[in-house]
Amino acid sequence: PGYTLPIEAVDFLKKLKTKWSFVQADYKIADFQANIQPSESDLKSFFEGSKDFYVVPPRMKASYVCFENEHFISKIKHPSEAELREFFEKNKAFFATEKEAPSFESIKDEIYSSYMETLSRKMAEESANKFLMRIYDEKIALGSEKFYQLLKESDLKFEQIKPYTAKSIAKEKSLPQEMLKQAFSLDKDHYFSDMHSNDKGTYILFFEKVLPKANLPFEKVRKQVERHFVAAKKRELFNEKANKIEDELKKALSEGKGFTETARSLGLKVLEKDDYTIEEQDKRISFSILDTLSKMKEKTVSDFINDKEGGIFVYLKDKDIPKVEKDDEEVKKAQKRIGAYTSN
């Protein structure tokens, strides 16, 4: 375990056991009303100053072919009953349910469908493998006359994939996602993927190129720009209002008025805590509040503490820091506790 000095343990225990009596006053941006109506020139100026935000990230441009299972069903010889029985015996676990192990006769149609699906999938995978071997062995280039001839011989349709990013792969449900991911490890020299299958068939992807990052034109993102402008302007006005509230709170204290009453009169939501310790772990009290309190003098109000929902003012009524001696048994336990934590 890591070694902790006694003074570190003493400091830790003091912070843990200090009793804070304070008032927390919340000012929510959701409660702040602002009538913001930007002009076209405001929006364009805002857009010009934040162009790098409105971009299309680098995207993968690729295509694929699919060896559809259904295409091979017509090429399968109708199975005999003996072949179906053999298939059933080898795959009994697949057909079994929690309640029973069905007989061959009771699910004969289901066995037939499963047999045809299994065989067609196998034939699709074999054909895809032969296709890949031809490309590799004959060094066929993507888009060459020989490439299109191979597609024609294999009776395949060459499909384009809408350009995508690594993050957008999860949205694509119709194509094997592992295949889409593999595209990012391909290049023009090794442009074809491994085989990837799903219920429809077996796929091979072809890398074409990576489209570079591109800035979007103002016209295409105007609504988004307006939302961002209004949000930024609202936060700016909100902070200005918060600064005025801060001045009023501090002025009221200097005049001997109570913080809680003043905060409420200014529309703030008040939370009062007496003898609060870190061990209570009240989720409404953030670490930033405790950190601010530790630096404050009694009977003072903090500056405005910004957060995602708006911000907070804190008034420290008093604090009780316990006496902790380095020879206390509790200090030794704290040393071990801190040492065990820091060594992990």
Side-chain angles (χ1 to χ4, degrees):
Y3 180 72
T4 305
L5 292 170
I7 187 108
E8 294 176 292
V10 168
D11 186 54
F12 169 78
L13 287 171
K14 281 184 177 182
K15 287 180 180 177
L16 195 67
K17 296 181 177 295
T18 293
K19 293 179 181 179
W20 308 91
S21 293
F22 63 94
V23 184
Q24 175 175 306
D26 290 21
Y27 184 37
K28 303 294 185 187
I29 196 166
D31 299 330
F32 177 70
Q33 301 300 316
N35 182 23
I36 302 167
Q37 296 181 338
S39 66
E40 201 70 7
S41 105
D42 288 334
L43 295 181
K44 286 182 178 178
S45 177
F46 183 82
F47 172 74
E48 289 298 326
S50 50
K51 267 188 174 180
D52 287 345
F53 186 83
Y54 305 101
V55 298
V56 178
R59 291 166 297 155
M60 174 60 63
K61 190 175 188 306
S63 45
Y64 72 92
V65 291
C66 178
F67 294 79
E68 296 183 19
N69 300 338
E70 193 175 288
H71 177 77
F72 295 91
I73 288 179
S74 61
K75 300 179 181 181
I76 301 172
K77 181 184 174 184
H78 188 78
S80 65
E81 185 161 317
E83 287 172 320
L84 288 178
R85 283 187 179 278
E86 182 184 0
F87 178 78
F88 173 67
E89 291 298 325
K90 287 181 178 178
N91 298 279
K92 270 188 174 180
F94 175 79
F95 296 106
T97 64
E98 290 183 5
K99 295 181 179 179
E100 61 177 344
S103 66
F104 173 80
E105 293 297 336
S106 67
I107 57 166
K108 194 172 181 180
D109 289 344
E110 186 181 339
I111 295 167
Y112 174 80
S113 295
S114 182
Y115 175 90
M116 297 297 281
E117 287 172 9
T118 301
L119 219 58
S120 64
R121 184 166 58 248
K122 184 180 178 183
M123 291 172 72
E125 289 172 353
E126 288 173 349
S127 294
N129 187 55
K130 288 178 183 176
F131 181 89
L132 273 180
M133 288 298 99
R134 287 267 318 262
I135 288 178
Y136 181 78
D137 291 339
E138 298 176 29
K139 296 180 173 57
I140 298 174
L142 178 66
S144 65
E145 186 178 337
K146 205 169 183 180
F147 177 82
Y148 286 112
Q149 182 60 37
L150 179 57
L151 290 178
K152 188 175 180 181
E153 290 173 16
S154 306
D155 195 20
L156 291 170
K157 191 176 179 182
F158 188 62
E159 303 277 7
Q160 288 290 329
I161 302 171
K162 184 179 177 181
Y164 64 93
T165 65
K167 286 185 178 180
S168 67
I169 288 175
K171 297 177 184 177
E172 176 54 67
K173 304 298 182 185
S174 62
L175 298 173
Q177 296 200 351
E178 287 304 314
M179 177 183 78
L180 297 175
K181 290 176 185 176
Q182 191 186 358
F184 290 92
S185 63
L186 303 176
D187 54 38
K188 288 190 175 182
D189 293 325
H190 186 87
Y191 67 87
F192 48 88
S193 73
D194 298 331
M195 299 186 302
H196 296 269
S197 300
N198 62 15
D199 291 340
K200 184 179 179 180
T202 299
Y203 297 77
I204 298 169
L205 174 142
F206 308 111
F207 169 90
E208 294 185 18
K209 63 181 176 180
V210 175
L211 299 172
K213 180 177 79 171
N215 287 91
L216 290 165
F218 172 76
E219 292 71 24
K220 195 163 186 176
V221 292
R222 189 192 177 284
K223 287 184 178 180
Q224 192 179 358
V225 171
E226 184 171 5
R227 284 199 308 273
H228 293 160
F229 177 91
V230 169
K233 191 66 177 176
K234 184 176 181 180
R235 172 59 82 164
E236 181 187 326
L237 295 173
F238 172 80
N239 286 338
E240 287 177 6
K241 178 66 174 176
N243 289 336
K244 290 178 181 178
I245 290 175
E246 183 181 325
D247 291 340
E248 290 187 54
L249 288 170
K250 290 178 178 178
K251 183 173 180 284
L253 287 177
S254 70
E255 295 172 350
K257 296 176 183 177
F259 177 84
T260 301
E261 296 74 18
T262 305
R264 284 185 174 138
S265 71
L266 292 169
L268 306 183
K269 185 179 178 182
V270 172
L271 172 67
E272 296 191 66
K273 282 287 184 178
D274 290 318
D275 296 334
Y276 178 81
T277 67
I278 293 175
E279 291 174 313
E280 283 185 44
Q281 296 184 345
D282 188 329
K283 291 182 179 178
R284 296 170 297 176
I285 312 299
S286 67
F287 176 79
S288 62
I289 298 300
L290 294 171
D291 184 54
T292 299
L293 284 169
S294 69
K295 299 168 185 173
M296 289 175 62
K297 293 179 180 180
E298 294 179 6
K299 312 299 181 186
T300 60
V301 62
S302 71
D303 293 337
F304 189 55
I305 307 164
N306 268 289
D307 61 27
K308 287 182 180 179
E309 294 181 353
I312 296 168
F313 296 101
V314 184
Y315 173 69
L316 177 59
K317 292 193 285 187
D318 62 67
K319 58 184 173 183
D320 180 12
I321 304 173
K323 288 185 177 180
V324 180
E325 302 295 339
K326 64 178 182 179
D327 296 326
D328 290 351
E329 187 63 32
E330 201 173 16
V331 172
K332 295 175 184 177
K333 290 180 181 177
Q335 277 183 272
K336 290 180 182 178
R337 181 177 168 188
I338 301 168
Y341 177 79
T342 55
S343 66
N344 291 334

